[in-house]
Amino acid sequence: MKKVCVLFITFMAVFLMNGCNDQPTIKSEEKLIIEKLTKTEGQYEKINEITDKKEIKKVLTFFKKAEWISASDKSTYPKIKMNDYYGLWVMSDNALKVRIGSLNQNTVLSKKDSNELYQLITGEKLSE
């Protein structure tokens, strides 16, 4: 009985530790298709396609190292979409807010990371 109890407590501890992890799984990509919101609500136009594996890894690293938080806010259309899976909004302080798919998890990147990521995916500087 004692072994069953110890096994149960160990199982619950592992389950709770994994259940509290808000880090989403960042899936690998073969290419990133970057689309920007047009003046027509909900319509996007392709502005870039990244196929270089080093650049893709660099982009995804921003998301992997980010701190994700649960959020149930319903935002407007993202300014930028990547592969119809990642949504990016430019915040008033020029930081990027990122949401992955339909997950209720967001992150706001630092201004430095926001500037680097924005320039990498769009070829443009983020407004200062």
Side-chain angles (χ1 to χ4, degrees), residues 14-75:
V14 170
F15 178 76
L16 289 174
M17 286 190 300
N18 287 334
C20 295
N21 184 358
D22 281 341
Q23 286 296 109
T25 301
I26 307 298
K27 61 183 186 175
S28 61
E29 303 281 355
E30 292 294 316
K31 65 181 174 180
L32 296 175
I33 297 173
I34 316 301
E35 297 175 297
K36 195 171 192 176
L37 186 63
T38 65
K39 294 183 190 233
T40 306
E41 186 175 318
Q43 298 294 313
Y44 289 83
E45 65 181 342
K46 181 179 171 182
I47 60 168
N48 195 8
E49 184 173 320
I50 301 172
T51 56
D52 181 87
K53 291 190 184 307
K54 286 182 182 178
E55 286 188 13
I56 292 171
K57 184 177 181 180
K58 194 173 186 180
V59 168
L60 297 179
T61 297
F62 286 106
F63 302 150
K64 288 178 182 176
K65 71 178 187 177
E67 256 187 68
W68 295 89
I69 57 170
S70 294
S72 59
D73 63 330
K74 299 297 177 195
S75 300

Side-chain angles (χ1 to χ4, degrees), residues 33-48 75-90 97 99 101 118 121-122:
I33 297 173
I34 316 301
E35 297 175 297
K36 195 171 192 176
L37 186 63
T38 65
K39 294 183 190 233
T40 306
E41 186 175 318
Q43 298 294 313
Y44 289 83
E45 65 181 342
K46 181 179 171 182
I47 60 168
N48 195 8
S75 300
T76 58
Y77 292 102
K79 180 176 181 176
I80 296 173
K81 290 192 321 183
M82 293 188 328
N83 291 8
D84 286 327
Y85 188 67
Y86 303 94
L88 291 87
W89 290 261
V90 178
K97 173 183 169 184
R99 177 172 276 199
Y118 193 84
I121 63 175
T122 67

